[in-house]
Amino acid sequence: MTRTVYLNGDYLPEAEAKVSIFDRGFLMADGVYEVTSVLDGKLIDFGGHCVRLARSLSELEMQNPHSDEEWLAIHRELVAANGIGDGMVYLQVTRGNPGDRDFAYPSDDVTPTVVLFTQSKPGLADNPAAKIGFKVISIPDIRWGRRDIKTVQLLYPSMGKMAAKKAGVDDSWFVEDGLVTEGTSNNAYIVKGNKIITRQLSSDILHGITRAAVLRFAVEAQMEVEERAFSITEAQAADEAFITSASAFVMPVVEIDGAAIGTGKPGHVVARLREIYLDEMRKAAV
Ligand code: PLP
């Protein structure tokens, strides 16, 4: 079955969806994106993704091409057209095609390019890695200074994933000035006793939608939350570690730079948080 994708108002077979070589997403990485998980045919934390999309667009002085209701209708249409049970909807908005290349933003009459497509991931919430845990390495964080804007400039995160792959592990954690910022495509946490420690929000990290939900659920479950930066050394001495993202949900980390965390197996705090997160988010899915 050929996939149906969305491009600028049309639902098309994927092979027919074409974007100009002058599109600023292609030439300048001048675009933003969101990835929303789908479980049992329903969208997880859709409201959170809409809020962050609006913010990313506004930080780049781009108009939001759709209302939240319109975005929801497009997402639902694609999920239905492609028969997605578990998977993801990828959304990208670029500044569009001004017809030539120029560093300056084009005038407002250039319409943005809007692309959405689905990815089917049967059993997304039952990833066996959640029972084993991720191993990560640390690498210097040399990304740009506005990591709070969810832009499509993903080359360095991609290099980070490849460095992890070459090292035989699952992911990389970025380190800046001796302190962990986040993972290549996820937020990073450690657990010490009943306390969850994760870097505070700033332009140094992406403001994860999953992060916000997990910290809320942690407080509701009487866990203590401390928002501050931590080093790799502190992480290696923690009881547990984990990452969060819209598609990995809550994923244990059991090894950092070759050192086992706690028992070297996923711990009970992370397991509980994953369970609460998935239960609550399934209930609120739209
Ligand atoms: N940090 C980075 C750099 C990311 O790319 C992502 C997700 O893509 C996250 C954190 C997690 O954000 P979310 O929970 O909204 O998926």
Side-chain angles (χ1 to χ4, degrees):
M1 192 178 97
T2 180
R3 182 165 36 176
T4 299
V5 303
Y6 178 93
L7 174 61
N8 299 332
D10 295 319
Y11 295 89
L12 303 167
E14 62 181 59
E16 287 174 30
K18 304 254 167 63
V19 176
S20 165
I21 62 160
F22 295 112
D23 195 280
R24 287 180 60 96
F26 179 65
L27 294 178
M28 308 276 190
D30 187 357
V32 300
Y33 77 106
E34 285 295 329
V35 181
T36 304
S37 274
V38 180
L39 293 178
D40 300 324
K42 287 188 167 177
L43 299 155
I44 300 295
D45 210 347
F46 188 72
H49 289 284
C50 283
V51 169
R52 186 172 57 191
L53 174 66
R55 180 178 180 276
S56 293
L57 288 166
S58 139
E59 289 297 305
L60 295 181
E61 299 172 44
M62 286 168 67
Q63 297 293 322
N64 193 336
H66 291 295
S67 65
D68 290 358
E69 292 71 30
E70 288 166 347
W71 284 125
L72 180 58
I74 300 168
H75 279 70
R76 283 184 164 159
E77 178 74 33
L78 283 181
V79 168
N82 294 299
I84 302 296
D86 292 349
M88 274 104 90
V89 181
Y90 177 88
L91 174 169
Q92 179 169 328
V93 182
T94 79
R95 208 181 300 272
N97 162 25
D100 210 341
R101 181 176 179 275
D102 191 349
F103 278 88
Y105 295 169
S107 60
D108 283 345
D109 54 3
V110 173
T111 43
T113 301
V114 179
V115 170
L116 286 91
F117 58 82
T118 55
Q119 288 184 287
S120 178
K121 302 267 177 199
L124 181 65
D126 306 315
N127 187 344
K131 296 252 174 332
I132 304 163
F134 269 17
K135 295 178 179 176
V136 304
I137 53 169
S138 60
I139 60 171
D141 197 340
I142 55 167
R143 296 173 299 162
W144 78 323
R146 289 301 309 272
R147 301 157 193 160
D148 55 314
I149 311 176
K150 196 167 169 64
T151 75
V152 296
Q153 311 169 61
L154 296 178
L155 187 54
Y156 191 64
S158 186
M159 290 168 73
K161 289 269 189 221
M162 290 313 293
K165 208 169 165 179
K166 282 182 196 144
V169 299
D170 302 285
D171 203 3
S172 297
W173 277 10
F174 295 131
V175 174
E176 188 171 53
D177 299 329
L179 298 168
V180 174
T181 50
E182 58 187 332
T184 57
S185 61
N186 43 67
N187 292 115
Y189 308 73
I190 55 173
V191 181
K192 197 78 189 163
N194 190 41
K195 194 190 285 177
I196 293 165
I197 303 163
T198 193
R199 197 175 174 107
Q200 68 280 10
L201 294 180
S202 71
S203 53
D204 295 338
I205 62 167
L206 185 75
H207 300 189
I209 301 304
T210 321
R211 178 189 182 281
V214 164
L215 293 187
R216 199 171 65 238
F217 296 143
V219 170
E220 283 169 15
Q222 317 296 327
M223 294 176 203
E224 208 182 318
V225 171
E226 193 174 333
E227 294 185 67
R228 64 159 174 88
F230 55 85
S231 66
I232 290 291
T233 311
E234 185 179 4
Q236 287 171 328
D239 299 330
E240 300 183 37
F242 65 102
I243 54 159
T244 65
S245 76
S247 49
F249 310 119
V250 178
M251 183 64 71
V253 168
V254 295
E255 185 188 294
I256 305 174
D257 286 341
I261 310 305
T263 62
K265 299 224 162 55
H268 66 276
V269 172
V270 180
R272 181 144 173 257
L273 276 176
R274 181 178 171 91
E275 194 183 320
I276 298 174
Y277 176 81
L278 282 168
D279 282 354
E280 293 299 323
M281 283 298 161
R282 279 183 195 275
K283 275 191 239 158
V286 293

